[in-house]
Amino acid sequence: MQEHGYWGLRLFSRKQILVTGGAGFLGSHLCERLLADGHDVLCVDNFFTGTRDNILSLLDNKRFEFMRHDVTFPLYVEVDEIYNLACPASPNHYQHDPVQTTKTSVHGAINMLGLAKRLGARIFQASTSEVYGDPTVHPQTEDYRGHVNPIGPRACYDEGKRCAETLFFDYRRQHNLNIRVARIFNTYGPRMHIDDGRVVSNFIVQALRGEPITIYGDGSQTRAFCYVDDLIEGFVRLMNTSDDVTGPVNLGNPVEISIRQLATKIIELTGSRSPLLSKPLPSDDPLQRCPDISMAKRLLDWEPTIALEQGLQRCIAYFDQVLRASA
Ligand code: NAD
Ligand code: UDP
């Protein structure tokens, strides 16, 4: 730690912060935010789904360093804090090599927890609403234990993330590690992958290209979408709150919308003439998902501030630019 000064209510210290998965969608926004807050950032990524383009604007920053590394292998670096985000997040990507997905979640967590233990560093885990599976409790609160199919196509991700949470809490109990676990609900924004198959990127790109909007099932399944800037604010607050807060804490936007309504909204905002096209519902696709964020409000004084329409407009502008550049 180097420079000191007041930062909010906390004594500000310039820290060396490791972000695994830092070249991905959320990771690149987090690196940007931590640099803007005055920290030194070490971004570790194997470029499985992340790209150099996502961090291109950071490479000239003297406080930013990139290291190509796979977190399933041990890592020896010196840092003050760790944000562990490395893991493919879209169903298409994580089902592409399911064994590697589980290894990334589980071996990756073991390696990063081992590193945190050696350094006495605080460590944050990017967990997921998928730990609740296809939920039978609605909206989902942190004490709900979930309804996950352990042998289905989503299990490599869901069970991998559940096991990672177990490891975080065992390292806390066994080694007194300072841990933070965030359960992230669907998040969208600029730098989502154009072809990762997630619903927001799919619908926007299809609408902009005038292609049919692919609705899986009857489109009555629901999700709640959080804009990336809101989520990153939640990450930073959770990491910097008092030592007794470990989580898991739900982070997401509690405004629930059906997939069909989302399609209609995106068509409206883009002025597209795309028709709706029904496709089969993938197996184990959760029917309903929405976070209860009372805990985040109480402990972190956090709640999303960016409305869906506003966030979608920014996301549409981003994809419009990407499509024009590649035309
Ligand atoms: P992403 O695919 O854009 O980013 C993941 C990053 O991890 C990529 O840069 C990828 O190259 C890297 N990575 C994957 N395997 C790795 C490995 N073995 N070693 C090193 N790097 C590796 O996905 P994202 O949306 O930015 O998600 C980031 C994290 O947040 C993930 O852990 C994900 O599970 C979690 N999360 C995201 C969402 C969401 O809506 N975006 C929701 C819940 C949880
Ligand atoms: N979905 C859809 N059309 C698409 C992509 C996704 O109808 O082109 C649906 C998908 O079946 C799911 C919801 O949108 O019900 C959210 O899917 P996504 O992959 O974005 O996230 P997750 O299922 O992990 O929440």
Side-chain angles (χ1 to χ4, degrees):
M1 296 195 198
Q2 296 151 25
E3 294 158 11
H4 296 278
Y6 279 102
W7 182 46
L9 291 176
R10 260 189 114 221
L11 186 67
F12 172 75
S13 326
R14 176 169 159 193
K15 288 176 247 162
Q16 319 276 330
I17 304 181
L18 166 63
V19 179
T20 76
F25 162 47
L26 298 180
S28 60
H29 284 274
L30 177 62
C31 289
E32 224 167 61
R33 165 64 188 265
L34 296 172
L35 288 168
D37 285 347
H39 301 294
D40 295 344
V41 173
L42 172 60
C43 166
V44 162
D45 204 295
N46 69 350
F47 286 147
F48 177 58
T49 52
T51 63
R52 212 176 164 75
D53 276 354
N54 284 343
I55 51 168
L56 206 56
S57 64
L58 308 180
L59 292 172
D60 285 340
N61 190 322
K62 282 198 266 253
R63 286 184 287 107
F64 181 79
E65 190 182 345
F66 174 74
M67 184 191 282
R68 191 163 184 154
H69 175 81
D70 181 330
V71 294
T72 61
F73 296 95
L75 177 67
Y76 297 94
V77 293
E78 308 300 316
V79 291
D80 303 309
E81 274 181 3
I82 303 168
Y83 285 85
N84 187 36
L85 273 66
C87 187
S90 92
N92 277 4
H93 287 157
Y94 69 65
Q95 289 172 22
H96 170 75
D97 185 348
V99 173
Q100 178 64 17
T101 298
T102 303
K103 281 188 188 168
T104 295
S105 278
V106 177
H107 294 189
I110 291 171
N111 289 327
M112 292 311 115
L113 285 161
L115 177 64
K117 182 181 153 208
R118 177 173 71 78
L119 299 172
R122 190 175 284 200
I123 180 166
F124 172 104
Q125 168 67 356
S127 190
T128 168
S129 54
E130 288 284 325
V131 300
Y132 302 124
D134 190 3
T136 53
V137 163
H138 202 73
Q140 291 82 58
T141 45
E142 289 84 352
D143 58 0
Y144 174 54
R145 295 193 183 169
H147 182 225
V148 172
N149 174 1
I151 57 168
R154 296 174 86 104
C156 58
Y157 183 72
D158 301 9
E159 297 289 15
K161 289 285 187 177
R162 285 170 69 96
C163 184
E165 286 200 10
T166 307
L167 285 161
F168 267 70
F169 280 85
D170 280 336
Y171 267 78
R172 163 89 175 173
R173 283 184 285 262
Q174 210 172 324
H175 302 297
N176 203 26
L177 220 63
N178 198 333
I179 61 162
R180 308 292 148 118
V181 176
R183 288 186 179 153
I184 306 163
F185 284 67
N186 296 63
T187 300
Y188 68 100
R191 294 196 214 120
M192 289 182 88
H193 307 256
I194 199 158
D195 58 357
D196 73 0
R198 277 189 273 194
V199 69
V200 173
S201 42
N202 263 15
F203 284 4
I204 293 179
V205 170
Q206 288 163 344
L208 290 173
R209 286 180 171 152
E211 292 169 359
I213 309 275
T214 53
I215 307 241
Y216 301 162
D218 64 6
S220 64
Q221 70 272 34
T222 68
R223 295 293 186 273
F225 297 97
C226 185
Y227 189 69
V228 61
D229 292 359
D230 280 331
L231 185 80
I232 299 298
E233 179 63 32
F235 281 15
V236 171
R237 286 191 190 208
L238 178 56
M239 188 61 137
N240 290 290
T241 194
S242 59
D243 277 355
D244 55 327
V245 176
T246 56
V249 178
N250 288 340
L251 293 179
N253 191 321
V255 180
E256 192 177 353
I257 179 172
S258 77
I259 294 306
R260 186 169 285 273
Q261 285 170 319
L262 178 73
T264 311
K265 196 170 267 298
I266 289 175
I267 288 175
E268 224 175 81
L269 292 173
T270 49
S272 172
R273 297 162 69 98
S274 290
L276 301 183
L277 175 69
S278 286
K279 292 243 187 173
L281 188 68
S283 64
D284 291 344
D285 197 282
L287 287 180
Q288 215 180 358
R289 186 189 286 150
C290 181
D292 180 315
I293 59 163
S294 324
M295 189 187 284
K297 281 187 186 164
R298 184 164 41 82
L299 296 178
L300 312 177
D301 189 25
W302 176 87
E303 65 182 316
T305 57
I306 298 161
L308 182 62
E309 205 161 297
Q310 196 186 355
L312 285 177
Q313 268 158 348
R314 293 186 199 175
C315 211
I316 289 166
Y318 167 78
F319 280 117
D320 191 38
Q321 198 187 359
V322 170
L323 291 178
R324 280 172 203 276
S326 64

